[in-house]
Amino acid sequence: MSDQETKPAKKPKTPRQKMPEQNPIERAHNFYEVALGYDNDLALLEASRCLQCKKPSCMKGCPVEVDIPDFISLVKSGDLMGAAWKIKEKNTLPRIAGRVCPQESQCESKCVVGAKGKGEPCAIGRLERYVADYAALHDDGKRPELPKPTGLKVGVVGSGPAGLTLAGALIKKGVAVTVFEALHELGGVLVYGIPEFRLPKAIVRAEVDELIRMGVEFKTNWVVGRIETVDDMLEKRKFDGVFIGSGAGAPLFLRIPGENLNGVYSANEFLTRANLMKAYKFPETDTPVAKGRRVVVFGGGNVAMDSARTALRLGAQESTIVYRRTMEELPARTEEVHHAIEEGVKFQLLNSPTEIVGNETGWAVGVNVQMMKLGEPDASGRRRPVEIPGETAQIECDTVIVAIGNAANPLVPTSTKNLETNKWGNIVADLETGKTSRDRIWAGGDIVTGAATVILAMGAGRKAALSMLKTFGIS
Amino acid sequence: MFEILQKERLGPGVNRAVISAPDIARAHKPGQFIILRTHNDGERIPLTVADKDADKGTITLVWQEVGATTYYMGTMAVGEKFQDICGPLGKPTHLEKFGTVVGVGGGIGVAPLYPITKGMHDAGNQVISIIGARTEGLLIMTEDIKKVSDELIISTDDGSFGVHGFVTQVLQGLIDKGTKIDLVVAIGPVPMMKAVCGVTKKANLPTVVSLNPIMVDGTGMCGACRVEVAGKTMFGCVDGPEFDGLQVDFDLLMKRLAMYKGPELIALNNFRETPRGCKCSFPGGA
Ligand SMILES: Cc1cc2nc3c(=O)[nH]c(=O)nc-3n(C[C@H](O)[C@H](O)[C@H](O)COP(=O)(O)OP(=O)(O)OC[C@H]3O[C@@H](n4cnc5c(N)ncnc54)[C@H](O)[C@@H]3O)c2cc1C
Ligand code: FES
């Protein structure tokens, strides 16, 4: 007898299950979701990879501390509805988080299965998405009964993930909530920024509908600071508290010559036209967007990737990311960069735009760039790009999208009396409670932290809700 | 909400509607605008509020049919509702007692000029209004303006009514006569505002203009409304809509306003094919 027959063969390790996706060539021309989601078999296989750690480190990587091993254990036992409720105890918007969270730098980065050299982490995000989608599809309409109204009421500025999460947490405790939103649609960046092919708008709508069903009131087309101030909300509308979750929606430009030429967009405008206003259906819808043939995107973050990929879907022949550093330093999620490359987005690296060149009718026709090389690391630890003297080039294009970040929109902070802001105009608030310098005013999400993530905004909404409840004396 | 309570035609392709919008009516101040959508697939377009009645909870809009949305609005009847109206937006006009204020309105620009004229008049200013149009039939709101002005001068390009000539010539006439002018407010087509500023620059008269760049959100989130004033980029929707006319780059504004000429025509032709679109009276059409 050989050795092999006596010893039981070592069970081959189950590899991390790939996410089924639309074919890159096809999807680069449509707005349907790129990732198709696990089926039951894939989910069970992936769930089997979880070690059910007694001291789960993955949870420490989750800003809202979802009970990850517990929900995965319920998946293993086939109780998907139970798994969904388990997630929802901590995360009210799991269908959204499962799609847009940067798990690779959060929960999954802490997963023991994926610890150095051992293999790839358990695909927690994909499982979360599977469970949450399953629960939505098999919704029996039953809901835990809501408590009696407490008579307290809270006003919320902005319907992004921070505001929506807070609204959900408060209404479940009998606090009446009215959300005031500037746009005609609810969801903040989730509806105007993040493209349909990453986060279908119907999912955001379903979450909003759920809040409406629980009794949350929404007022759209309502720009706080213009129609009414936060002080009016407290004094005239007699809200017991106000939460400001107005986001970081003020686009930054490079301040280089030619930025006001036709065909030059902020990423916010380009994406808002495409997503919120559905310009991709033009002329079935009335909002146009320049359908560039050669599109150049400045920036290297997720917003830049979304812009470049949206441009392809609108029919661009060429969509190029122009970035000052190298592939290594790209701040975008690896997965998104990978998707962009698969779809045919080009990368022009170590290029710093210096001017946008226009023609006589005022349209952009090219971008002048300065070649760069990497120098010494800066304060953030990233190597700083430095100019290579005399080395420049011109990139031909007809559309330029500036995706270099967002600053705080000053409308709400400056129209609220004595509300403390920092030097960037962000509202100063306690990160654990959301309390601001003003009594009865809380704030959270991007307006406090600067442009961050959906899950951090949700976490901030949740923490502020808990702090409000504590202040109101409700447990 | 947003129901049309009254509607009338002021001239060829020019309409006025009184719309129920109590919250906006309560908060609105002269110089501010709204952004509306007619229906679900509609675009967001800005319009300056021409009048309001806080007690009745109404706002008045005046518009000229130029593109798919404004033609669509032309076909809307009393009782129909707008999908969305967001406002008030933009900074209110700085109203104070300046002394003598000359309001210059061209074409459809007379509508947004009206609440400002009224505000300036109420603030105790001596108000001289100059309003003009291509031809008599295109003059609007002359009676309204008259009520809130100490003096009203009307001009038409073709001489069919009032002074034969442009509003700029009338303004130049006032300056030449030695009229003491403390502030000029000009609202109208971009070439008109540019020409007015040409006149006032020479006479060194402070001049306020109200700009109408293309907008999307109206809250400072997108930058579609970029204009250049004194060489600096500003957002028309939150930094404006009123700016120092002597510092505005009008040529840039004109180019930016033409950005969607092609698609706008496609959208309009597309609208003509719809059941609603057949109903409207296109220029040169039925
Ligand atoms: C293109 C893009 C892609 C992104 N992709 C990801 C991703 O994949 N994963 C991820 O985790 N994060 C992503 N982010 C970041 C993430 O979307 C934000 O961090 C998050 O949405 C912030 O939530 P919030 O609730 O603070 O604000 P927002 O989502 O910005 O919502 C704020 C809301 O307040 C409204 N508002 C503003 N001012 C007023 C006012 N005066 N009155 C009334 N309402 C007002 C706004 O209209 C908006 O609806 C992305 C951002 C962008 C722009
Ligand atoms: S219209 Fe979007 S910022 Fe002004």
Side-chain angles (χ1 to χ4, degrees):
Chain A
M1 260 191 208
S2 74
D3 228 22
Q4 277 205 330
E5 280 167 328
T6 47
K7 269 200 212 151
K10 206 173 164 201
K11 212 168 113 202
K13 264 198 200 153
T14 312
R16 181 173 157 109
Q17 300 302 302
K18 286 207 171 66
M19 175 60 108
E21 285 167 356
Q22 261 199 81
N23 168 307
I25 298 176
E26 249 168 60
R27 75 177 190 235
H29 303 288
N30 70 47
F31 276 84
Y32 301 121
E33 206 175 358
V34 168
L36 302 170
Y38 278 170
D39 58 18
N40 197 43
D41 293 344
L42 287 173
L44 282 176
L45 271 175
E46 189 57 40
S48 75
R49 300 180 65 234
C50 171
L51 300 178
Q52 295 291 313
C53 305
K54 284 278 163 312
K55 284 187 186 160
S57 46
C58 53
M59 282 175 67
K60 293 202 194 94
C62 174
V64 295
E65 290 176 52
V66 167
D67 298 286
I68 295 165
D70 288 0
F71 100 73
I72 296 183
S73 154
L74 286 160
V75 173
K76 286 185 193 173
S77 65
D79 182 5
L80 292 172
M81 287 314 242
W85 283 115
K86 186 57 77 209
I87 299 174
K88 282 186 194 172
E89 282 173 17
K90 300 283 175 63
N91 179 345
T92 34
L93 309 169
R95 294 186 80 193
I96 295 169
R99 286 172 166 81
V100 303
C101 268
Q103 291 98 3
E104 68 281 358
S105 59
Q106 298 181 351
C107 51
E108 293 179 14
S109 74
K110 300 271 179 353
C111 172
V112 175
V113 182
K116 258 206 174 88
K118 279 204 217 147
E120 288 190 279
C122 180
I124 301 165
R126 294 172 187 173
L127 285 172
E128 176 183 39
R129 169 180 161 155
Y130 173 69
V131 166
D133 282 353
Y134 178 93
L137 203 64
H138 297 84
D139 185 6
D140 56 7
K142 281 194 207 123
R143 296 290 181 280
E145 221 171 285
L146 290 174
K148 280 220 177 66
T150 56
L152 293 155
K153 55 178 192 172
V154 164
V156 178
V157 183
S159 65
L164 293 182
T165 305
L166 173 109
L170 291 179
I171 199 93
K172 283 186 193 149
K173 295 287 182 185
V175 177
V177 186
T178 310
V179 180
F180 299 89
E181 167 56 48
L183 293 170
H184 59 263
E185 200 68 72
L186 300 163
V189 171
L190 306 178
V191 290
Y192 78 69
I194 303 181
E196 177 79 17
F197 58 83
R198 283 213 291 128
L199 177 63
K201 302 310 148 214
I203 291 179
V204 183
R205 188 66 225 181
E207 300 293 0
V208 169
D209 285 343
E210 182 67 31
L211 292 174
I212 293 174
R213 197 158 82 160
M214 289 194 278
V216 174
E217 272 188 55
F218 288 95
K219 257 187 183 303
T220 50
N221 299 314
W222 195 278
V223 181
V224 174
R226 290 280 192 233
I227 190 159
E228 255 175 27
T229 62
V230 170
D231 291 290
D232 290 334
M233 291 168 75
L234 290 168
E235 284 152 32
K236 292 192 195 143
R237 290 190 181 259
K238 307 266 180 252
F239 282 115
D240 297 288
V242 170
F243 175 77
I244 305 173
S246 55
L252 295 171
F253 286 89
L254 280 171
R255 295 172 186 274
I256 58 175
E259 248 176 342
N260 293 333
L261 288 164
N262 286 352
V264 183
Y265 292 92
S266 74
N268 283 1
E269 181 186 355
F270 186 76
L271 292 170
T272 299
R273 284 179 178 272
N275 293 317
L276 180 71
M277 304 310 295
K278 304 197 171 57
Y280 62 89
K281 291 189 186 160
F282 182 86
E284 200 183 305
T285 54
D286 289 342
T287 306
V289 65
K291 294 195 173 163
R293 285 152 51 84
R294 307 185 72 171
V295 178
V296 165
V297 181
F298 297 165
N302 289 319
V303 183
M305 300 303 141
D306 282 345
S307 303
R309 296 171 71 196
T310 298
L312 281 182
R313 283 160 173 80
L314 286 171
Q317 284 164 8
E318 217 173 88
S319 179
T320 309
I321 299 257
V322 170
Y323 181 58
R324 295 191 303 158
R325 308 184 204 226
T326 71
M327 238 32 192
E328 309 273 289
E329 290 84 19
L330 277 180
R333 291 180 66 183
T334 332
E335 184 178 307
E336 299 309 328
V337 177
H338 175 71
H339 279 148
I341 294 172
E342 275 185 343
E343 289 166 13
V345 171
K346 297 201 172 118
F347 287 79
Q348 202 142 330
L349 303 161
L350 290 168
N351 275 206
S352 176
T354 53
E355 180 175 4
I356 303 167
V357 186
N359 65 12
E360 60 294 336
T361 54
W363 278 86
V365 293
V367 174
N368 288 342
V369 293
Q370 164 71 51
M371 303 301 173
M372 313 294 279
K373 63 175 187 224
L374 288 185
E376 294 300 310
D378 62 13
S380 72
R382 286 193 303 178
R383 289 177 66 190
R384 192 196 304 269
V386 288
E387 283 182 19
I388 309 176
E391 282 196 36
T392 59
Q394 190 171 91
I395 310 170
E396 218 183 287
C397 66
D398 49 32
T399 302
V400 177
I401 302 167
V402 185
I404 57 160
N406 280 300
N409 190 323
L411 206 50
V412 182
T414 56
S415 62
T416 310
K417 279 182 225 148
N418 302 323
L419 188 64
E420 196 188 331
T421 53
N422 66 18
K423 64 175 169 182
W424 298 284
N426 294 105
I427 297 176
V428 176
D430 185 314
L431 290 182
E432 285 311 307
T433 63
K435 282 187 174 164
T436 67
S437 61
R438 284 273 313 267
D439 205 28
R440 295 197 292 153
I441 301 180
W442 283 258
D446 282 4
I447 187 64
V448 170
T449 56
T453 60
V454 171
I455 193 74
L456 283 172
M458 286 168 44
R462 193 182 152 78
K463 285 175 184 164
L466 293 175
S467 164
M468 281 188 173
L469 291 170
K470 202 168 155 200
T471 307
F472 299 154
I474 303 171
S475 59
Chain B
M1 248 200 311
F2 310 142
E3 183 180 336
I4 301 182
L5 304 176
Q6 279 175 41
K7 190 177 164 220
E8 63 179 315
R9 209 131 173 110
L10 297 182
V14 181
N15 306 275
R16 164 155 62 184
V18 177
I19 298 153
S20 161
D23 295 320
I24 301 175
R26 192 167 24 79
H28 175 267
K29 295 192 188 71
Q32 290 184 305
F33 63 95
I34 53 98
I35 285 186
L36 62 79
R37 282 201 316 159
T38 49
H39 62 295
N40 231 330
D41 286 332
E43 58 181 339
R44 294 171 65 98
I45 65 154
L47 282 177
T48 309
V49 176
D51 202 2
K52 63 126 182 228
D53 188 327
D55 297 331
K56 291 199 183 122
T58 61
I59 57 169
T60 302
L61 298 177
V62 174
W63 69 96
Q64 184 157 30
E65 293 164 0
V66 286
T69 302
T70 43
Y71 271 106
Y72 187 107
M73 288 168 67
T75 65
M76 289 174 81
V78 169
E80 278 193 83
K81 288 178 183 157
F82 286 89
Q83 177 79 31
D84 300 287
I85 302 184
C86 176
L89 296 168
K91 289 185 178 159
T93 309
H94 177 70
L95 295 172
E96 102 180 34
K97 187 165 176 187
F98 294 97
T100 300
V101 176
V102 177
V104 187
I108 194 78
V110 176
L113 186 63
Y114 170 68
I116 300 171
T117 311
K118 193 164 149 189
M120 288 293 182
H121 195 255
D122 291 348
N125 291 289
Q126 169 84 11
V127 177
I128 305 174
S129 296
I130 306 172
I131 65 178
R134 269 203 332 275
T135 184
E136 184 182 3
L138 293 173
L139 285 167
I140 58 165
M141 298 178 72
T142 46
E143 283 308 307
D144 301 274
I145 294 276
K146 196 173 180 177
K147 280 186 208 140
V148 292
S149 310
D150 297 280
E151 190 184 343
L152 169 65
I153 310 167
I154 297 173
S155 73
T156 51
D157 301 0
D158 65 358
S160 52
F161 191 91
V163 179
H164 186 171
F166 299 119
V167 286
T168 41
Q169 292 167 319
V170 179
L171 177 63
Q172 187 65 57
L174 286 183
I175 295 168
D176 293 345
K177 254 192 348 202
T179 314
K180 182 184 130 314
I181 300 171
D182 298 290
L183 180 72
V184 176
V185 182
I187 310 181
V190 184
M192 180 216 101
M193 291 192 284
K194 185 182 173 187
V196 167
C197 292
V199 169
T200 55
K201 195 169 225 160
K202 271 191 254 141
N204 210 6
L205 293 178
T207 310
V208 171
V209 292
S210 177
L211 305 185
N212 56 341
I214 291 172
M215 295 189 188
V216 182
D217 61 305
T219 67
M221 179 272 278
C222 78
C225 58
R226 303 198 297 289
V227 293
E228 276 181 31
V229 184
K232 266 181 67 185
T233 297
M234 307 272 226
F235 285 9
C237 70
V238 284
D239 300 322
E242 289 171 14
F243 291 100
D244 174 358
L246 304 184
Q247 309 269 5
V248 168
D249 185 340
F250 289 105
D251 295 334
L252 178 75
L253 179 63
M254 276 187 262
K255 283 179 185 158
R256 286 188 65 83
L257 282 169
M259 183 154 165
Y260 296 102
K261 273 264 149 66
E264 277 162 10
L265 200 63
I266 295 172
L268 183 56
N269 285 331
N270 206 58
F271 173 60
R272 282 179 201 232
E273 303 293 315
T274 64
R276 184 185 277 273
C278 315
K279 281 195 254 158
C280 51
S281 48
F282 289 98

